[in-house]
Amino acid sequence: MKENGKVIQKRMAMSRSHMAKERERKSKENYACILAEERMAEQEEIRKRHEQQKEVEEYRKEMKEKEELTKEIMILRNIYNQKNNDFKKYAMEHCNCMEHCKDKNSFAIILSSYDTKLEELHLQLKFIDEKIKIGEITPADLNIMVKLVQQIDEMLSIFKSEIDKINVRCEVNSTGAENTVHSHTTPLSDSQQAFSNSQTVHEPVISEQTSTDNEVQKYEDEEKRGNVQTENMISTNISQETSLIVNVERNVSTTESDKDHLYKYVDKELLEIYVNNKKFLENYVKIFDEFLQSPSMKKFRFECQKAINIPVNAISGISKQHLTDKYERLHILLMGKSWPNVNEHPHGANFCKNILAKKLVNQGETLVSSKPKMAFPIAAIIVALWSDHSDFGDLLLSHFYNVCPFTVPIFMPRMVGQSDDDYYKLMGYKYAEDGTIEKHDKFLKRMSGLMRLYASITITTQRKGIDKTNPHGLQNAWRWLAAILNFEPRKEISDLCATFLLDMLEVAGNTLWIAYPKQFHKLLILLSEEYYPRMKNVGSIGSGPLVRLEEFLRNSLAKGSISPPDGQLPPNFW
């Protein structure tokens, strides 16, 4: 019994020992788990602190970068302001000098053209200022600011050079007044004789080319059918432009209530750009008004028109060689290095630049409206010529704004007492000879072609080997879209606005998204969620343009991208 009791006690002792060890083991395991959890919690806390610290550092880095960007931009802005003040000071000084000069008209035209350019630069500067205020400045804005300073510096240099030339002419005129009277008679007849002789020499060459050149033959066939503009049409269009300018000025300069009504729908700065371009075009055409009316210059004018129409009508993106050929033919014509020699008459170059600008804009109405792909080779030629001849670019913009004010953009309201004809002509509608107004669908198609051509210009890159930037580049597409979003939608323009927004987005959207990824995405969201619903509320139910715009916005935001426009020329195409 005693032995059994000892065995039992021994077993109980062993059991207690085992249980104690088990409790100790479990306690250690629990403690280890607790320690592991604590370590994990501590590591998680460290990780979170590290992430927060990283976010803070990234934010500080971003803010520092933005601060540095802002400083650089502000330095450039001060330089820009200084250049602008120099420009104004120089213009004011010479404005007084020109009071006694016979060439005041030339000075006024030059000053008017630079006013328009400066307003466009100021508008771009204004958008950068707004982005600085909301803290969304980017390196792209710094690049734009650098370009603005470069542009105003170049403009100031060219302006000084042009004014110096006028001063020299004024000095010559003032010191040689008596000689001028004599030279106005005899040398004029000599120059006419020389021009007559030059025509005689070149006529056989032209007639020989006409018999062998298919393009020239095609032009003459079109001339017989009446498809090419005549002198009478040009004169009529000029007078129409002048009358529209008067109408705009009358609207702006009426009573305060009329001004309030106008500025309720039209941005004041954009209206100034529009009106100044109208004035610039009117003054520019006045330079060669006598040349236009001269019967002796009729053949010369015809040859100039033919030399422009043939290459312009043949522009296409079929090949690099083809596009280069059309550019070179137009470029050397404007330089006076081909037949007809535009330098043989004092106003020959001005006349040709105006005809060329008008013809290229007309391609938007007639060709691009039916074949949108054609916008890109035409835009390539425009940008190349604009880079070589800045006054050609000014004329081109003026013709764009004159024919399609929506490229400014500006949507004129109907003023009190304004007739139907005046209002619709101001909008860009055409009238037939019997007084019938153009149908709305045709008008919309024509304006759409012009808008697509304008948008194509903003995304066109320079030719290979050209260091200059596009003189009317992508920032103008951004400016146009931003300006549209500041307009309050109106029922009478809802279709127009939707059509032109879609045109701009389809053509320039891909390039804008690449250049301004965050800002452009925000702009699309704003357009889709805020601006479009307001357009829809005032627009017609089931409106085709509104439906197409809505679908485009929805698909673009869903995909997170916009496809490149169909027909866009590849980089380094020529």
Side-chain angles (χ1 to χ4, degrees), residues 24 65 147 257 332 381 465 475 479:
E24 185 179 355
E65 288 175 354
K147 291 175 184 176
S257 60
I332 62 174
I381 295 291
Q475 66 272 19
R479 176 190 62 80

Side-chain angles (χ1 to χ4, degrees), residues 31 147 205 248 250 255 371 379 416 447 464 471 479 522 539:
Y31 182 68
K147 291 175 184 176
V205 178
V248 173
R250 186 184 297 125
T255 63
K371 297 179 180 178
V416 177
M447 293 294 112
K464 286 186 288 187
R479 176 190 62 80
K522 288 180 182 178

Side-chain angles (χ1 to χ4, degrees), residues 369 406 411 423-424 427-431 436-449 490-500 503 539-540 543-546 548:
S369 60
F406 316 110
F411 295 81
Y423 175 66
Y424 287 121
M427 291 281 282
Y429 280 88
K430 287 186 175 181
Y431 280 78
T436 306
I437 190 172
E438 181 180 22
K439 290 184 179 179
H440 181 69
D441 58 338
K442 289 185 177 180
F443 167 74
L444 204 58
K445 183 180 179 182
R446 191 164 54 82
M447 293 294 112
S448 177
R490 311 196 318 258
K491 183 176 182 179
E492 64 269 24
I493 62 167
S494 61
D495 279 7
L496 293 174
C497 196
T499 299
F500 302 146
D503 289 331
S540 303
S543 164
L546 285 170
R548 287 191 290 273

